[in-house]
Amino acid sequence: MSLQLTGIHHLTAITANAPENLRFYTKTLGLRLVKKTVNQDDTTAYHLFYADGKATPGTDLTFFDWPVGPEGRGTHSISRTGLRVAGAESVEWWKRRFDELNVASGEISEIDGRTSLDFEDGEGQRFRLVDDGGLAPSHPWERSPVPAEHQIRGLAPITISVPDITNTALVLTHVMNMREVRHYASPDGNGEVHVFSMGEGGPAAELHVAVQPGLPIARQGAGAVHHVAFRAPDIDRLHQWTERLKAFHLPSSGEVERFYFRSLYFREPNGILFEIATDGPGFAVDEPLESLGETLSLPPFLEPKRAQIEARLKPLE
């Protein structure tokens, strides 16, 4: 069997307001803060990780806190992040919650055959709640303000926007071993969306590519997505992906030790940043599972600089 990615690993976005970000994702969306750390390449910036109750790979939504202006929306970008919930009843529950809390949201609709609800956070970060049929395992967080049966279960299809799919599709299918399985009209009426599936497929293992040549080129900022990461089960598989990218002459970062996982970064032909990351060792490697995210965690190579790093970070609460 060919080398396979097993799904979406995490998605990293940009916020310019870390305290409000923390409030929205834990209090409104009910996610668990599983790691409070810093950007390893810019230690003045928080890197916040939200996930399910057990910090399972495939549930991580992460944010760099950078003092930047708002995103300029457009193509050559990751344009919408899917989040899975179990059942149409949960989608309806969330619509009521968003209305009560004045969260910007659209109407419940069927998109690509699944009950869906689009919404945005206060910085314009774009999301889509998707009914995953309740088939995947879930790990609710007992201290979430959201009832266990309605909690977000993990990442769903990630949508990217490109002006031309030709070379992107070649990389997705020939290099990354994804399968193009179907297409549908973009819900905003702007172009067609091609669905690429990986591993065993399903909503936790799809990349949706919207072909939108009429849009301007996106400019990253607050409310934008920085990159999307795909799952490699272990380090041996990551080594194989490293060699595969070399064989196809695709420039990459080489393997980068992120302590909680090991990563490989590269850009697809329209310039969107992709990462392949290992499932382990995970977020409990340096603090107990029951108290994840409660104090500032630093990887070993940054630990000697803890005092100066902490002095430069603004309070989150």
Side-chain angles (χ1 to χ4, degrees):
M1 183 177 170
S2 65
L3 185 62
Q4 289 287 315
L5 299 163
T6 54
I8 306 293
H9 185 284
H10 69 267
L11 179 128
T12 296
I14 302 167
T15 178
N17 187 342
E20 174 56 24
N21 183 271
L22 177 65
R23 187 205 64 78
F24 182 84
Y25 288 92
T26 58
K27 301 291 194 291
T28 301
L29 293 191
L31 297 170
R32 182 182 184 187
L33 178 68
V34 296
K35 193 62 61 178
K36 179 166 58 175
T37 185
V38 293
N39 181 322
Q40 293 180 12
D41 305 310
D42 172 15
T43 59
T44 65
Y46 280 111
H47 192 179
L48 304 177
F49 290 77
Y50 306 102
D52 68 1
K54 290 189 175 177
T56 316
T59 71
D60 310 346
L61 190 57
T62 96
F63 286 87
F64 295 141
D65 171 37
W66 286 333
V68 292
E71 172 194 26
R73 290 182 179 178
T75 190
H76 294 279
S77 70
I78 299 170
S79 56
R80 194 171 291 275
T81 301
L83 300 171
R84 293 180 289 111
V85 294
E89 304 79 17
S90 282
V91 179
E92 291 164 5
W93 183 92
W94 278 102
K95 176 59 179 169
R96 293 192 296 273
R97 181 172 178 81
F98 290 156
D99 287 348
E100 288 165 10
L101 298 177
N102 295 314
V103 174
S105 65
E107 297 302 322
I108 296 171
S109 60
E110 188 170 293
I111 299 172
D112 188 34
R114 297 175 181 134
T115 303
S116 303
L117 174 63
D118 288 354
F119 72 97
E120 297 181 8
D121 75 2
E123 294 182 294
Q125 189 70 238
R126 289 170 282 176
F127 292 98
R128 175 169 295 148
L129 286 178
V130 174
D131 170 16
D132 74 356
L135 300 175
S138 67
H139 306 287
W141 180 37
E142 69 274 6
R143 282 152 54 196
S144 174
V146 174
E149 67 271 22
H150 297 312
Q151 284 183 33
I152 291 166
R153 294 152 60 88
L155 292 164
I158 306 301
T159 302
I160 68 174
S161 172
V162 301
D164 184 340
I165 197 174
T166 311
N167 291 331
T168 295
L170 283 172
V171 167
L172 296 180
T173 55
H174 287 65
V175 181
M176 300 176 73
N177 288 332
M178 295 188 193
R179 309 172 298 280
E180 184 170 357
V181 290
R182 59 186 179 276
H183 53 84
Y184 62 95
S186 181
D188 61 7
N190 191 345
E192 191 163 62
V193 183
H194 298 248
V195 178
F196 293 83
S197 181
M198 62 200 102
E200 295 179 359
E206 288 177 0
L207 183 70
H208 291 202
V209 183
V211 184
Q212 300 174 316
L215 295 184
I217 295 174
R219 185 189 70 254
Q220 283 201 336
V225 174
H226 188 267
H227 65 268
V228 60
F230 305 98
R231 292 175 68 178
D234 52 47
I235 197 83
D236 289 339
R237 245 67 67 94
L238 188 69
H239 293 337
Q240 291 177 47
W241 283 111
T242 304
E243 293 307 312
R244 189 167 177 82
L245 293 186
K246 284 182 190 168
F248 280 93
H249 305 290
L250 261 181
S252 83
S253 62
E255 293 179 25
V256 181
E257 181 54 68
R258 293 302 189 198
F259 190 49
Y260 309 112
F261 41 83
R262 195 169 175 88
S263 296
L264 173 68
Y265 300 86
F266 63 99
R267 291 188 186 273
E268 58 77 47
N270 279 288
I272 297 166
L273 186 60
F274 283 175
E275 174 183 353
I276 299 174
T278 58
D279 279 356
F283 294 114
V285 71
D286 62 348
E287 54 183 346
L289 184 65
E290 56 271 17
S291 59
L292 290 178
E294 292 178 11
T295 58
L296 183 72
S297 292
L298 295 175
F301 73 91
L302 289 178
E303 194 59 54
K305 300 177 181 175
R306 175 176 286 273
Q308 66 195 79
I309 288 172
E310 287 185 334
R312 294 165 76 183
L313 291 171
K314 51 187 181 281
L316 275 177
E317 299 299 342

